[in-house]
Structure formats: structure tokens, C-alpha cells
Amino acid sequence: MSEHDQVKMTEMNYDKDRPKAENPVKIEDLSLRDGHQSLFATRGRTEDMIPVAELMDEVGFWAVETWGGATFDTMHRFLNEDPWERIRTLKRYFKKTPFSMLLRAQNLVGYRNYADDVANAFMDRACENGMDIFRTFDALNDYRNFETVVPKIKEYGRHFQGCICYSLTEPRLGGEVYNLDYYVSKAKELEAMGADTVCVKDMAGLIAPYDAYNIIKALKEAVKVPIHLHSHFTSGMSSMSHMKAIEAGVDIIDTCMTPYAFRTSHAAIEPLVMALLGTNRDTGFDIKLLAKINEILEREVMPKYKHLLDDSKVSTIDINVLLHQTPGGMLSNLVNQLREMDALDKINDVYRELPRVRKELGQVPLVTPTSQIVGIQTVNNVLFDDENDRYKNITNQVKDLVYGLYGKTAIPIDPEVQKKALKGYSRGEEPITCRPAEVLEPELEKAKEEIGDLSKDTEDLVTYALYPVTGKKFLKWKYGIEPAPKEVQPRTLEDVKKEDELVKKAKAGELVEKPTKAPPEKSENLRTFNVFIDGEYYEVGVDEPEGSPVLRKIQQMGAMPAQMPMMMAAPSAPSAPAPAAAPKPAAAAAPAEEKKEAAPAAAAEGTPMPAPMPGMIVSYEKKVGDSVSEGETVLVLEAMKMENALPAPASGTVKAINFSSGDSVKKGDVLAVIG
Ligand code: CO
């Protein structure tokens, strides 16, 4: 921005004399989708969007992002909210600002390519409900996956925003795959498909300021449609990248309201408004109005979500992203997955293995779902492989990727890995090269048969088709067939207040339970003990209410089981710590406190199949009595959104099946027994 663009800021009155910019930067607000998806695990409830909706409608945003991405999944699974209803509800409050959704192309709002009939039904319902802008991306940047959804967007006269997923293989833009030519040619492809805008989607916050400048400049020259930049804050570079992109002429920038901003989310709008004030790219936004929205969010909404904020680190940026060129969300998923499997010490092995697996799997961009696919396979390799036998435990999604079900990868898949992954693969051992959905059988009719009367309309049916297990559960809650469990109920400000008070008390040491009963009369069973602690002497009386006193062995302090009766807590006793051992061992130690041995999960004899990781049972492929041969799939376990086909550890007959579809299991739970 040159000097003549600047007005004399000192003489300017913010409210009255602010000149209208020649070319204002347009802003899309992401608070209500990507913001809470990034910071609060997409747990934002519709009722918490309403208090600010009308004010946000006044700001002048180019669009507000309200739907798509992970919202559909989390709403029906964790919030007991109908995802379709959210669009309709919010539309009543946003009267002028267009709605934008994140559409994973043929993946829609799920994690795999769906058949065309599901895609068409989904798009019809999204358009009918009033979605205006479809920010469409494909994890592999394979735009053949746009071929079903884009004609639908056009049919309804809506805005097609084509995305290029930003990816790197080097620390900065360049190298053999993801160089400037790559992005320019992708933008031209999108324009040729009829894109109304082209978005550079930097989901990991990888784009460095000068690379942002070069890309935006090149895209502005290569295509006519407006250019949009979506860049997460994760690595800490995005505010700088925004400024360089603005200098290069970017048309639209994504930001969040401050309470939903920074960390793994996006840069905030308020500093940008002030940074551009009075320039030829001034947003024109009223900073006081933004402040008002902020205040409501801080006071009425954020307290309900702050427990979800990852406060395990003081830093607000993740320099691992700079080191590994990998999305922050993916890294935290890996850490969580390792933690759940008691293998957090393997994190550095995972970092080392990750680029290798990614290259073997075709150097794919790392974005949902490929980030999960590559990430989980990497963890599996680190945990289950040895150098001579790699890819021992291949997820179903990797098999699908290798087969070509997600599309064409940036470079060819490693032939060794391909052979291994497709050995015995149900669709065939020879990968496809056509548009993936072409090999998918229609799914809607089958879904309709399966779900039956539980689905009342097309929206229910699509919910079920996208998420058969959790979707069915949700429909049962929705129609009152099963009660929704407590964990899916909303938290109120009252709940939060009560919890805060408890925490405050606990911190002040006021949470110690005091005996509320009056002391009983001393009985003839009372025995007294002399207790010496650090030279101090106490006399302690022990009185067993029924029969002769029985002493239990007191373990070391600190290792005391919570239910251990406090034998020394007679009111007359001084408040001294319990002695390390009772002075006079009683004749017979009661076994009462012995921990019950966990009963074996299955009584059936044979080889147990323990869950290798915590997850949810998707389906059992076998039933009791079926014969299986070693290596054959017995069941499918969903962990970290990936389906793992668990093979039979031995040949034989299925003796026991201990869970059913939809059940959550812990690591080590015996899922089945083969005998
Ligand atoms: Co994003």
C-alpha cells in the first residue's frame, strides 16, 4: 500500500470523516463454523449463536459461515441437534448476510465419497434450506469429485466457490509438487468449471506471508474471478499473510470474532479493521458494533465452552506446524490417539514416519479426511510394524485411498504399499482411474429400506445415509424412541456457575467433607491406640459399631483407596495424618477391601480379540457360530473417525461376540472370542 493511499489519520474522526475505500477488503466471518470447530471441537450450539446473530447481520460481512465441515457430524452425534434445523433457525436471524457452508465435494459433510444419489439429495436439501455459498473442496484437489455437486449449485443459482487445498512438501512454497504452477493451473481448472470465486484454503496455517503475496498475485493475473484467502492462525503467520495478500490484491479474507479467533482458528476481525482504517482497502466495519458482539459472546456464550479450550499449553501458536508442515488439528489428534493407546512416548517416531507414509500414499494434501487417513495409518505403522514388515494393520480408508476411491493422488502411490493394501480388497486388487463415484452403487434406496419408518423425510434419510450408526441413534432421540443421554444435553450458565464455585472451593481447600453426624456413645468395644508421629503422641480410639473390632491394613498414604473407611476419623482424634501402619495388627485382616478382580469379559474359551484402541463398533462381519480363517475381518472398529477392519487372530469358530454396532469400547475390551 503506497503512501498516497493513507489519509491523514490524525485529523480523522472515526465515526464522521472515515472515507469510503475504493476497494474494500471483503470479509467472511467463520465464528459460527470454523471458529468453534477449531477451538471448541465444533460443539457450538444453535441457541448460543442466536444472541449475536442479528448484530452480526449488521456488520456487513460478505458472508457468514454457518454450516458444513464437522458441524453435521458433531451436531447429531454429540449435541442432539438436527443439523438441517440449524440453517432454518439461523436464517430467521440473518436477513441480509449470505450463508456459506464448507462442502467436502463428493464427501459432502462426511469422510468418504458418497454415491451420486446421496450427493444429489444432500445438495437439494442444502439449497432448499437456503444455503447461499458452497465453499467446495476436495482433499486431493481432484476436481472430478466436483462433477456431481457443482451442477446442483448452478441449478439452484447459488454461488460456487472452488477451493485449492494449500499444501507443501518443503518448508516454503516450491518443490516438485506444490509449486506456483500447481496453484495457477488448479485455479484455471476451477474457473473453467464455473467457479464464482476461487479460494486458497490453507487449513494448516502453512502459508508464509511472502508466499501468500506471490500466490495471490499470480492467481489475480491468471483468473478473472475474485480470489479468497482462508488461512488458519495455527502457526502464527496468518495475520502477516493476510496483510501481504491484501497488498497483492486479494478480494476476500476469512476472520473470526475475537472470542473465536487465534490459536488453531483464524485471525480476529477487529485488529484487521483498525489496521486497514482509512486506507483504500478499509473494510468499512463499525468497530463499536464488533465490540458489542464481542461482549455478548464473552459474557453469555464463552463461559459455556471455555472448558473445551485446550489449555494444556501456554503458547497460542503451534510451532510444530512450522517444523512439520502438518495441520495442528492433525497433530493434536495424533497426540490424543497415542495417549489413548498409552504410547505417547512414540510421538517422535510418528513425526519421523509421517512424511514417509504421506509420500507412499501419493503426497496427498493433509486436510479432512486425508489428514486423518495418513495420520492414523502412521500411528498404526509406528505401533504395529517392524522394519521388515510394514503396513501390518491397514485401515479400510487407506485401502479405499489406494484403490482410487478418493480420487487421483498428487504423485502415484508406492507400488509395494498398493499391492499390500489391495490384497483381498473387496472391490478388486486393480485400482481404478475413473471418477470415484462412478464405481459406487446407489445408496439411498438401500438406506431407505434399512432405516424404515424411523426416517420421516429426505433430510432424515440423508442424515442416516451419511452416518448410519450415529445417524440412526440420533433419529431415535429425535422421535423419542430412546431418551437422549445426559452428555448430549446443553450446559446452562447456571451449570457453569455451580462448577466454577466448586473449583473455587477446591482451590481454597474448602472441599473437605466434614462429618455431619453427632458422635455416638463410646461402646465397650472401644480400643485405644498410642500413635507417635514425628515425636508427637496421640491417643486414638477405635470403636467398631458391630461386634469385635477388625483392623484393615492401611496402605501407604496417598495410595489409599477412596472407599477406605477412615478409621482414625473419630471426632476426638487430632487432625493428624493416618499412621503408616496400624500399631497392633488384628488377629484377622478382613479381605473386604480387596479389589475385585475384573471378571473376564467373555466366558467363552478360545483366542480373545481385544480392542487394539478405544473406539466405536461399526459392525460385526461375523456372528457366533460362523467359521473364520486367520486374517479374515471379524468386525469393523471406528477409532478417530477411521474404520479399522480387525482380522481374526486365529482360524476357528466365533465363540462369542461381546458388543454390538454403536457400542463404545475401551482399549483391551474383548470384542470377540475365536475358538
Ligand atoms: Co478451516
Side-chain angles (χ1 to χ4, degrees):
M1 207 168 295
S2 57
E3 234 168 272
H4 71 264
D5 296 328
Q6 309 279 339
V7 295
K8 286 180 186 161
M9 303 295 288
T10 44
E11 294 166 19
M12 195 181 90
N13 177 304
Y14 174 80
D15 289 323
K16 289 192 205 126
D17 308 332
R18 189 173 176 188
K20 187 159 172 10
E22 288 162 42
N23 180 22
V25 176
K26 297 181 179 74
I27 303 290
E28 175 166 338
D29 177 87
L30 307 184
S31 307
L32 306 183
R33 202 284 300 177
D34 210 348
H36 72 100
Q37 178 168 331
S38 299
L39 298 187
F40 308 115
T42 334
R43 296 300 198 270
R45 288 180 181 271
T46 309
E47 63 186 43
D48 291 323
M49 301 175 179
I50 291 170
V52 289
E54 279 165 323
L55 288 173
M56 285 180 74
D57 198 27
E58 295 300 321
V59 173
F61 292 122
W62 178 75
V64 283
E65 193 185 36
T66 50
W67 214 58
T71 58
F72 201 100
D73 185 355
T74 46
M75 286 179 75
H76 85 278
R77 190 190 295 242
F78 299 118
L79 307 179
N80 188 20
E81 273 196 55
D82 194 334
W84 302 100
E85 189 55 47
R86 176 169 293 174
I87 319 177
R88 294 191 285 269
T89 303
L90 290 180
K91 271 274 163 183
R92 292 204 289 273
Y93 296 88
F94 283 96
K95 299 230 159 59
K96 21 185 195 197
T97 315
F99 275 12
S100 172
M101 79 164 280
L102 182 65
L103 179 68
R104 297 167 177 157
Q106 196 85 21
N107 284 341
L108 305 173
V109 288
Y111 307 99
R112 66 170 173 94
N113 276 329
Y114 295 96
D116 284 338
D117 62 345
V118 177
N120 282 324
F122 176 89
M123 292 303 292
D124 282 335
R125 291 318 307 152
C127 290
E128 298 278 359
N129 275 303
M131 194 45 64
D132 301 289
I133 298 167
F134 290 84
R135 168 175 290 175
T136 312
F137 80 96
D138 175 68
L140 303 185
N141 288 330
D142 181 348
Y143 299 141
R144 295 174 307 170
N145 288 326
F146 286 17
E147 285 175 15
T148 300
V149 294
V150 168
K152 276 286 174 193
I153 301 170
K154 295 287 176 188
E155 180 190 322
Y156 283 89
R158 303 300 152 92
H159 183 118
F160 162 39
Q161 177 164 93
C163 289
I164 314 169
C165 294
Y166 186 74
S167 197
L168 293 174
T169 54
E170 322 269 321
R172 286 280 298 272
L173 178 68
E176 280 176 18
V177 185
Y178 299 106
N179 48 40
L180 201 53
D181 289 345
Y182 175 90
Y183 294 102
V184 168
S185 74
K186 287 292 169 189
K188 285 182 173 163
E189 252 186 82
L190 289 171
E191 192 176 46
M193 287 188 90
D196 298 296
T197 45
V198 166
C199 176
V200 176
K201 181 174 156 60
D202 173 26
M203 51 280 166
L206 296 176
I207 203 163
Y210 291 107
D211 291 340
Y213 184 89
N214 289 336
I215 285 193
I216 300 298
K217 194 118 196 124
L219 296 190
K220 285 298 290 176
E221 282 161 18
V223 297
K224 291 192 189 71
V225 296
I227 305 296
H228 195 143
L229 177 63
H230 175 89
S231 176
H232 281 256
F233 188 78
T234 323
S235 71
M237 291 194 289
S238 84
S239 306
M240 295 183 275
S241 301
H242 283 168
M243 289 311 279
K244 292 310 290 182
I246 288 168
E247 289 177 16
V250 78
D251 299 278
I252 314 156
I253 290 270
D254 282 343
T255 60
C256 283
M257 298 300 306
T258 287
Y260 287 100
F262 303 114
R263 297 180 186 262
T264 54
S265 180
H266 295 261
I269 178 59
E270 299 85 347
L272 189 66
V273 168
M274 296 313 282
L276 297 174
L277 190 71
T279 71
N280 68 337
R281 312 263 3 228
D282 191 337
T283 57
F285 290 178
D286 179 357
I287 191 87
K288 290 174 188 155
L289 174 59
L290 295 171
K292 211 161 146 189
I293 298 168
N294 257 321
E295 204 191 318
I296 297 171
L297 288 172
E298 278 289 348
R299 208 179 49 227
E300 294 175 27
V301 177
M302 288 305 135
K304 298 186 199 173
Y305 296 98
K306 63 174 193 247
H307 68 291
L308 294 168
L309 251 191
D310 176 13
D311 57 359
S312 59
K313 284 206 309 193
V314 174
S315 307
T316 50
I317 66 164
D318 186 347
I319 72 154
N320 274 312
V321 174
L322 302 173
L323 293 172
H324 303 287
Q325 285 82 51
T326 302
M330 176 181 176
L331 293 173
S332 58
N333 274 348
L334 292 176
V335 167
N336 283 339
Q337 201 195 356
L338 286 173
R339 187 181 292 130
E340 286 186 22
M341 296 168 87
D342 292 326
L344 207 48
D345 55 315
K346 297 261 172 40
I347 187 74
N348 284 325
D349 298 343
V350 169
Y351 286 149
R352 250 194 312 276
E353 177 80 2
L354 190 64
R356 188 179 176 192
V357 172
R358 182 183 175 204
K359 196 168 180 196
E360 287 163 340
L361 294 179
Q363 209 66 280
V364 293
L366 299 175
V367 59
T368 305
T370 46
S371 51
Q372 283 96 332
I373 295 174
V374 172
I376 284 158
Q377 190 57 50
T378 303
V379 170
N380 281 359
N381 286 7
V382 165
L383 292 183
F384 304 117
D385 291 358
D386 52 66
E387 216 15 73
N388 302 319
D389 192 5
R390 297 182 63 238
Y391 289 87
K392 270 193 193 167
N393 194 346
I394 303 181
T395 66
N396 280 354
Q397 278 77 5
V398 165
K399 293 176 186 181
D400 293 346
L401 174 73
V402 169
Y403 183 69
L405 268 195
Y406 287 90
K408 191 169 180 279
T409 52
I411 62 167
I413 303 231
D414 180 274
E416 284 292 304
V417 175
Q418 187 174 77
K419 226 172 107 192
K420 212 159 190 175
L422 295 184
K423 191 165 175 274
Y425 179 70
S426 57
R427 293 178 182 275
E429 303 200 345
E430 208 41 54
I432 53 164
T433 53
C434 60
R435 181 179 77 95
E438 261 155 49
V439 303
L440 299 177
E441 294 292 321
E443 296 174 41
L444 269 193
E445 277 310 311
K446 194 170 155 260
K448 206 182 257 174
E449 265 168 45
E450 286 166 3
I451 193 69
D453 287 348
L454 195 50
S455 157
K456 307 281 182 243
D457 51 30
T458 311
E459 291 174 3
D460 287 348
L461 182 62
V462 172
T463 302
Y464 173 74
L466 295 176
Y467 290 97
V469 179
T470 52
K472 189 174 177 181
K473 239 190 231 181
F474 167 73
L475 292 177
K476 285 182 182 166
W477 300 338
K478 178 176 169 183
Y479 295 113
I481 292 164
E482 271 175 20
K486 199 173 177 303
E487 11 0 315
V488 302
Q489 307 297 336
R491 276 157 64 90
T492 62
L493 275 182
E494 276 304 298
D495 297 337
V496 176
K497 230 168 113 187
K498 271 187 209 150
E499 282 168 26
D500 283 354
E501 270 161 24
L502 271 179
V503 170
K504 214 167 124 192
K505 268 189 176 171
K507 281 184 178 161
E510 290 163 7
L511 262 195
V512 182
E513 296 290 327
K514 290 215 175 90
T516 47
K517 285 186 196 165
E521 288 289 309
K522 286 176 188 171
S523 84
E524 56 193 16
N525 291 330
L526 182 82
R527 306 207 309 171
T528 54
F529 296 90
N530 296 332
V531 179
F532 304 91
I533 297 169
D534 286 342
E536 297 233 7
Y537 160 74
Y538 302 96
E539 186 188 287
V540 177
V542 177
D543 195 349
E544 194 84 354
E546 282 158 43
S548 60
V550 175
L551 277 191
R552 296 168 177 90
K553 192 172 158 203
I554 296 180
Q555 293 167 336
Q556 265 184 305
M557 284 298 291
M560 204 180 283
Q563 318 89 313
M564 181 75 86
M566 290 301 289
M567 298 169 61
M568 302 302 164
S572 58
S575 55
K584 266 191 208 167
E593 293 305 309
E594 257 176 44
K595 244 180 138 187
K596 265 197 204 154
E597 277 296 310
E605 281 189 22
T607 314
M609 283 186 66
M613 57 197 97
M616 185 187 76
I617 306 279
V618 177
S619 61
Y620 278 94
E621 309 283 290
K622 301 279 171 193
K623 50 189 191 306
V624 173
D626 283 357
S627 57
V628 285
S629 40
E630 187 183 335
E632 219 183 320
T633 301
V634 176
L635 66 122
V636 180
L637 177 71
E638 186 201 82
M640 311 296 289
K641 293 174 186 159
M642 290 296 111
E643 291 177 1
N644 296 269
L646 300 186
S651 298
T653 310
V654 179
K655 295 281 188 202
I657 291 222
N658 296 335
F659 294 91
S660 49
S661 172
D663 285 350
S664 294
V665 297
K666 298 191 300 292
K667 185 189 172 195
D669 279 352
V670 176
L671 308 177
V673 179
I674 314 293

